[in-house]
Amino acid sequence: MSQKSKMNIPMLAACILLCLTLISVHMTSGLYARYVSRDSGEDSARVASFDVEAKWGDNDVSISATQEDNGSYNFTITNNSEVDVKYDLVLTFEEAFPKYLKVSIKEENAELAVDGTVDEENGKVVSFANLGMLDSNGDSANYELTFTVIDIDALVDSASGEDSGAISVDLQFNAVVRLEQID
Amino acid sequence: MKLTTVRKLNKSIRISSATIAFVIITVLALSGGLYAKYVREFSFNGKLTISVDLAESFSLYEHQVAQNSDGTFIKSDGARVVSNTYYVVPGIDIPKDPTIEIKGKTKIPALLYIEVIDGVDHKEIDFSLESHWVLLEGVQGAHEGAKVYVYATGGKDGRPIVLDNNTNPDSISNIEILTENQEGNTLSVSSRAKYGSDISLVFYAHLVQIDDKYKENASYTNAIDLFNNFRTKITSVPAESE
């Protein structure tokens, strides 16, 4: 007598699914040998600090033109920022800058002084554009701003009271040091 | 169209507009931020005083003169004036004492000069200068017709006197110009003076700064040179008589 075995289809499907599941687990669990490469990165941002300073010495300077022909102001610019800076200097006088006077600026240890540029329109503004640059993190520069009498006769003529035996002229000015971050 | 549909459409449009505005503002802000820079200004107020010490103050004066009822003149001991006007008659003496006073010591070296405009007929009124005034030959004064004299130790070979911090204040407090006669500082009007004559005698004084080279070698020659090329000077008010 022959006996014909019957195939249990649901059981067969379950077995196939189980096999596929095992294969998937195997592939994803690392049991399957392969080369693996991983990399990671981290980006962060912080705003750079801007900490600059300009310090001046004495406010009042006197020139006795009989004895010497010039007088100077000293000031220091310091850059404690995390960025480089450039700067310029602008002097604004209450009256037109007199023709008997010259103003120049010289960085400490520099060989040459730079003359200021008088604004031609109103004559009251003297500027030193692009005066210098400072690196970040503590760079500093010392300057000497010097006024020089270049024509004493014009100075005498400009003042009244010549007969009094002495003349004196006061010049009031405002100086602005402008510092700007360099890209 | 139903009302609810219209409301939904309007709401949708509002939302879209707000979204677009937000996007635009954001883009502008971000693009602006790309060009923002740190800038800071430091302001400082200064005062520059420029002075020129020409010399100590000085003046040229004479004492005021009053006329008595008899026509004679009398000098005041107090009042100082820059000029006197005289109505003279022949044969009288008129007080005149032009004097230079330098108030205190000069801060800087200087030479003292006078200019004399002599409008006097010496046959009518004679006068002479003190010996410490040395005529600078050929030097033209700042005023027409004026002769120039320098304050010196005396004589043509004398050295100009340098006035500076080392000068004795007493020696420069009253520097007389005219020679005193027996009557003191007076001018004698000759008895031969003509009626109606105009008499004029004018003095000017200058203090002129000198450089060190002149100070060390003050001489007649460089006194002339200095006067002709002085850098700065002070001129006194004139003492004048008419």
Side-chain angles (χ1 to χ4, degrees):
Chain A
M1 152 180 129
S2 62
Q3 189 174 355
K4 189 178 179 179
S5 61
K6 291 182 179 178
M7 184 177 293
N8 191 338
I9 293 175
M11 282 299 292
L12 180 62
C15 287
I16 292 171
L17 283 174
L18 178 62
C19 289
L20 290 173
T21 302
L22 289 174
I23 291 169
S24 298
V25 170
H26 173 77
M27 294 290 286
T28 58
S29 64
L31 294 174
Y32 178 72
R34 66 197 182 283
Y35 290 110
V36 175
S37 177
R38 284 201 179 97
D39 194 7
S40 65
E42 183 180 353
D43 291 331
S44 64
R46 187 173 63 82
V47 178
S49 67
F50 189 66
D51 180 7
V52 291
E53 191 174 46
K55 277 189 174 179
W56 289 74
D58 295 333
N59 291 63
D60 298 341
V61 167
S62 297
I63 300 174
S64 177
T66 310
Q67 308 297 330
E68 73 276 331
D69 64 358
N70 66 75
S72 298
Y73 292 85
N74 294 296
F75 66 96
T76 301
I77 301 174
T78 306
N79 180 24
N80 290 315
S81 308
E82 293 175 330
V83 294
D84 297 346
V85 296
K86 62 181 181 180
Y87 48 89
D88 50 29
L89 171 66
V90 175
L91 308 177
T92 304
F93 292 81
E94 291 185 344
E95 306 289 340
F97 187 69
K99 296 190 183 302
Y100 58 77
L101 208 57
K102 181 184 80 170
V103 58
S104 58
I105 197 165
K106 180 174 172 292
E107 187 176 359
E108 188 179 37
N109 300 325
E111 291 186 1
L112 298 175
V114 178
D115 292 344
T117 303
V118 181
D119 179 75
E120 292 182 355
E121 288 190 5
N122 63 20
K124 296 181 179 179
V125 176
V126 181
S127 56
F128 298 89
N130 301 317
L131 186 58
M133 294 184 293
L134 290 176
D135 294 335
S136 58
N137 299 318
D139 195 7
S140 67
N142 298 316
Y143 283 94
E144 189 176 62
L145 182 69
T146 301
F147 291 88
T148 305
V149 177
I150 56 175
D151 187 345
I152 194 170
D153 290 332
L155 167 63
V156 172
D157 291 342
S158 71
S160 58
E162 185 182 347
D163 288 342
S164 67
I167 59 173
S168 181
V169 178
D170 286 339
L171 296 176
Q172 311 268 2
F173 67 91
N174 173 256
V176 174
V177 177
R178 184 178 186 276
L179 298 107
E180 181 180 319
Q181 170 197 349
I182 299 175
D183 292 334
Chain B
M1 189 179 293
K2 289 182 179 179
L3 184 59
T4 52
T5 307
V6 172
R7 283 177 178 168
K8 284 181 180 176
L9 183 60
N10 286 340
K11 187 177 180 182
S12 175
I13 291 171
R14 284 201 298 272
I15 291 172
S16 298
S17 300
T19 304
I20 292 169
F22 174 77
V23 170
I24 290 172
I25 291 171
T26 305
V27 169
L28 289 176
L30 288 173
S31 59
L34 292 176
Y35 293 97
K37 291 179 180 176
Y38 287 119
V39 174
R40 191 169 174 192
E41 293 184 347
F42 293 86
S43 182
F44 167 81
N45 291 319
K47 186 177 83 172
L48 178 69
T49 302
I50 308 169
S51 60
V52 180
D53 298 319
L54 299 173
E56 292 292 344
S57 299
F58 83 116
S59 62
L60 172 56
Y61 70 91
E62 59 187 50
H63 287 99
Q64 190 173 34
V65 173
Q67 190 165 25
N68 297 316
S69 57
D70 61 358
T72 60
F73 292 90
I74 184 170
K75 184 181 72 174
S76 163
D77 288 332
R80 293 180 174 185
V81 294
V82 296
S83 68
N84 281 298
T85 300
Y86 309 86
Y87 296 99
V88 300
V89 294
I92 65 167
D93 294 331
I94 55 176
K96 186 166 183 64
D97 62 344
T99 304
I100 296 167
E101 180 184 35
I102 299 175
K103 298 169 183 172
K105 298 177 180 179
T106 54
K107 288 181 179 177
I108 56 170
L111 295 186
L112 178 61
Y113 297 84
I114 58 169
E115 289 186 42
V116 181
I117 301 177
D118 183 357
V120 173
D121 182 344
H122 287 245
K123 292 178 182 175
E124 296 181 345
I125 295 180
D126 198 15
F127 71 90
S128 60
L129 303 184
E130 286 280 5
S131 61
H132 50 237
W133 296 110
V134 175
L135 177 65
L136 301 181
E137 299 280 358
V139 174
Q140 174 61 50
H143 303 85
E144 186 176 356
K147 293 181 178 178
V148 181
Y149 299 79
V150 65
Y151 184 49
T153 53
K156 187 171 180 178
D157 297 329
R159 286 168 58 86
I161 296 173
V162 177
L163 306 174
D164 62 11
N165 285 328
N166 297 318
T167 306
N168 182 353
D170 294 336
S171 68
I172 56 176
S173 59
N174 289 292
I175 302 173
E176 295 183 339
I177 294 178
L178 294 175
T179 307
E180 285 193 35
N181 56 20
Q182 291 181 340
E183 305 298 327
N185 289 111
T186 61
L187 301 177
S188 296
V189 181
S190 168
S191 58
R192 293 176 293 175
K194 296 174 184 175
Y195 174 77
S197 297
D198 288 328
I199 300 168
S200 175
L201 184 58
V202 184
F203 301 96
Y204 296 89
H206 305 287
L207 264 179
V208 181
Q209 297 176 25
I210 60 174
D211 296 332
D212 286 341
K213 64 178 181 181
Y214 287 114
K215 182 180 177 181
E216 299 302 324
N217 187 29
S219 68
Y220 177 83
T221 303
N222 61 34
I224 294 174
D225 181 44
L226 180 66
F227 189 84
N228 287 331
N229 302 287
F230 52 71
R231 192 181 181 201
T232 57
K233 66 176 177 58
I234 315 167
T235 302
S236 79
V237 293
E240 183 175 0
S241 66
E242 294 178 348

